[in-house]
Amino acid sequence: MLAISTATALWFLPFAVPVCIWVAWSDLSSMKIPNKAVVALLAVFVVIGIVALPLTEYLWRYAHFVVILIFGFVLAQAGIGAGDAKFAAAMAPFIDRTDAISLLSLFAAVLLAAFATHRIFRAIPAIRRAFPDWKSWTHKKFPMGFALGGTLILYLIAGVALGS
């Protein structure tokens, strides 16, 4: 069972999903996560979070954003993309702090599945022809926005199904 409530997940899900899809698509096609997408996801939290969460929890979740943003910038110095770090920080307020371990496990599974899917799809000529301009097909790095966006979507779906 997840700590996120079903009601909270239901509030966030329809608004976060389009942004997560945008991020995944953008990272797959251009190897960039637009700042507008990061701001859009954070705006979803700002607007919907005030309705979906008790006020004290809503306010505390901004600390999640700050902590992950600082951690992400440290990791960015070590080589992860700054867009990935910013998007992870924008995702952080959506996550109940007691779900952190569950989220990391989910992220690991989604990352493996996204990586395998990307590598299989890029080896299929028909798919490469359908999306010929995607930079991720030939880039040496993996488009983490694909896995990050998928992780938040699945976390919120799991929250609907398994939330408290």
Side-chain angles (χ1 to χ4, degrees):
M1 184 167 255
L2 294 174
I4 187 173
S5 75
T6 299
T8 298
L10 278 170
W11 270 107
F12 286 140
L13 190 63
F15 302 100
V17 166
V19 179
C20 291
I21 292 170
W22 174 20
V23 164
W25 187 273
S26 178
D27 214 13
L28 286 163
S29 63
S30 69
M31 292 300 296
K32 292 186 185 326
I33 296 174
N35 285 334
K36 289 178 186 177
V38 173
V39 170
L41 188 63
L42 196 54
V44 167
F45 180 78
V46 169
V47 173
I48 303 302
I50 194 77
V51 177
L53 296 166
L55 182 60
T56 54
E57 184 175 351
Y58 170 74
L59 295 173
W60 270 111
R61 292 222 186 163
Y62 285 101
H64 299 192
F65 170 75
V66 172
V67 167
I68 298 303
L69 186 63
I70 291 167
F71 184 66
F73 279 130
V74 169
L75 288 177
Q77 299 305 310
I80 74 158
D84 303 330
K86 290 182 282 188
F87 189 68
M91 288 171 53
F94 291 84
I95 312 304
D96 188 287
R97 68 175 174 76
T98 59
D99 287 338
I101 299 300
S102 297
L103 182 86
L104 290 174
S105 298
L106 177 64
F107 175 66
V110 171
L111 178 58
L112 290 172
F115 184 82
T117 301
H118 183 264
R119 294 309 194 246
I120 290 167
F121 280 12
R122 82 174 186 181
I124 300 172
I127 293 175
R128 293 276 303 256
R129 281 191 302 275
F131 305 99
D133 297 328
W134 276 14
K135 290 185 179 176
S136 69
W137 294 144
T138 56
H139 202 280
K140 65 180 181 176
K141 291 187 175 180
F142 175 72
M144 288 294 290
F146 184 35
L148 289 168
T151 298
L152 184 57
I153 291 170
L154 290 175
Y155 172 75
L156 294 173
I157 290 171
V160 170
L162 306 170
S164 57

